[in-house]
Amino acid sequence: MTLQNLYAQVPSAFSAAEIALDALIDLDTYPIHDIHHPKRKVLIDRCRQSLSETGCAHIPKFMQPVAINTMRAEVERLSTEIRRSEDTVNAYFSEDDASLDATHPKRHFMSRRSSFINSDRLESQSLLRQFYDSDVVVHFLSECLGVAPIYRWADPLARNPYSVMQEGDHFPWHFDGNEFTVSILVQQSEGGGDFEYCPNIRNPHDENFDGVADVLSGGRQPVHVLTLEPGDLQLFKGRYSLHSVTPIVGKTERIIALPTYVTDPYAVNRPHHSKTVYGEALPIHFERESVIRADNLMD
Ligand SMILES: O=C(O)CCC(=O)C(=O)O
Ligand SMILES: [Fe+2]
């Protein structure tokens, strides 16, 4: 098919913003599409303040209940695509480095068990994919973060997956390969499944290995806990804030959608990270393995 024919058949990038956003998001309460609306400005100011204080912003009931039901139904239909992985990992998803002292946080390995529906498995009409494709959403998030431009992530597996955690699954302390993550809770477990995080415990100028080591060995001083309700949105700086999800209690799965954003549109997860968390590494992960991280932080 020629490019011209293709353009005749699919929406352009510009018109991609014309998805029915009100079917996904509560635009009456959160008019993120209307750049002159006073409510939008108030919301962005609130998110900015919260992000600078705690590295995290929480917008209750951001999504329409019907959209959450549609996302839950998609996860049910995709249940055979769930990739379960069980492993021991350090907070950086890197391999052991015997040249470092045994007390170094890079040598602190923790058990982990979780499951993802990777982004490349989403249905073509997936609401999660539509949310991710919306330019209105990207610009709104960029303003909340006070970072521009931000991009959708090139990583084909990790860019907007569903995490589906079952009884006993847990995600120990770690940093993300991408800078910014949106979490949309689709279904809460009966117990556990709390998101714990240490705001901005590291930054591009300081890995703060002592502070990280303290939390890995049980220190609770910098730890915040966030409990989400279905439909809530959380915006989070996962590359700078050590974070974890506590073990799931009960038979109900915890389902959460995780659209992710970056400032470098090219870099992807390292192969070891991708294999450990998403169950596989694709050619792109090897091709871009040696891309230097803009922030020089360990991952
Ligand atoms: O499930 C969550 O709330 C966070 C998951 C997470 O940290 C990750 O996928 O990197
Ligand atoms: Fe994470």
Side-chain angles (χ1 to χ4, degrees), residues 93 171 174-178 181 195 236 238 241 243-244 258 278:
F93 297 110
F171 210 140
H174 68 281
F175 294 105
D176 294 337
N178 61 297
T181 297
F195 182 82
F236 174 65
S241 303
H243 56 284
S244 69
L258 298 166
Y278 302 98

Side-chain angles (χ1 to χ4, degrees), residues 35 56 60 66 161 189:
I35 56 167
C56 187
V66 63
S189 51

Side-chain angles (χ1 to χ4, degrees), residues 28-275:
D28 290 336
T29 314
Y30 304 118
I32 65 166
H33 61 302
D34 182 351
I35 56 167
H36 300 299
H37 203 298
K39 279 189 191 173
R40 184 179 189 274
K41 185 175 176 335
V42 169
L43 177 62
I44 287 172
D45 288 348
R46 182 166 73 69
C47 288
R48 273 195 187 205
Q49 188 177 351
S50 179
L51 277 156
S52 76
E53 284 168 9
T54 67
C56 187
H58 173 203
I59 311 180
K61 298 188 167 61
F62 186 75
M63 303 294 287
Q64 297 282 15
V66 63
I68 293 298
N69 287 340
T70 305
M71 289 164 98
R72 191 187 300 110
E74 180 184 18
V75 169
E76 267 170 36
R77 284 192 301 274
L78 292 175
S79 64
T80 55
E81 301 288 350
I82 295 177
R83 288 195 90 118
R84 195 140 213 255
S85 63
E86 192 163 1
D87 213 336
T88 57
V89 292
N90 66 15
Y92 309 92
F93 297 110
S94 60
E95 286 164 285
D96 191 21
D97 182 350
S99 70
L100 297 170
D101 192 89
T103 58
H104 194 285
K106 225 182 146 184
R107 303 206 65 195
H108 185 107
F109 280 80
M110 301 158 278
S111 72
R112 169 188 164 280
R113 202 180 75 193
S114 69
S115 306
F116 284 95
I117 297 172
N118 293 338
S119 320
D120 63 342
R121 299 299 149 130
L122 298 185
E123 296 173 346
S124 58
Q125 296 304 313
S126 165
L127 276 200
L128 174 54
R129 183 171 278 168
Q130 290 179 29
F131 179 93
Y132 199 57
D133 285 349
S134 163
D135 288 338
V136 171
V137 171
V138 176
H139 289 293
F140 167 68
L141 297 173
S142 168
E143 282 187 61
C144 291
L145 290 161
V147 179
I150 59 168
Y151 298 99
R152 300 176 186 91
W153 199 7
D155 194 298
L157 305 180
R159 62 204 316 253
N160 58 338
Y162 286 107
S163 157
V164 186
M165 295 176 81
Q166 295 168 342
E167 190 169 27
D169 285 1
H170 64 287
F171 210 140
W173 292 115
H174 68 281
F175 294 105
D176 294 337
N178 61 297
E179 286 134 303
F180 314 117
T181 297
V182 164
S183 312
I184 299 166
L185 190 70
V186 174
Q187 181 171 282
Q188 182 59 288
S189 51
E190 286 147 40
D194 283 331
F195 182 82
E196 300 196 333
Y197 64 105
C198 307
N200 299 317
I201 196 168
R202 72 173 183 174
N203 64 62
H205 310 291
D206 183 8
E207 285 277 4
N208 186 15
F209 288 128
D210 289 345
V212 173
D214 182 56
V215 174
L216 297 183
S217 56
R220 299 289 296 175
Q221 192 269 328
V223 177
H224 289 50
V225 181
L226 182 66
T227 306
L228 296 172
E229 297 292 328
D232 289 5
L233 179 144
Q234 173 197 353
L235 173 58
F236 174 65
K237 298 187 185 179
R239 190 146 174 79
Y240 310 121
S241 303
L242 191 67
H243 56 284
S244 69
V245 182
T246 61
I248 305 300
V249 178
K251 296 285 171 218
T252 309
E253 291 169 334
R254 173 186 186 266
I255 303 172
I256 196 160
L258 298 166
T260 57
Y261 304 86
V262 292
T263 54
D264 177 351
Y266 191 75
V268 295
N269 272 328
R270 309 252 188 241
H272 182 75
H273 184 156
S274 186
K275 217 167 174 346

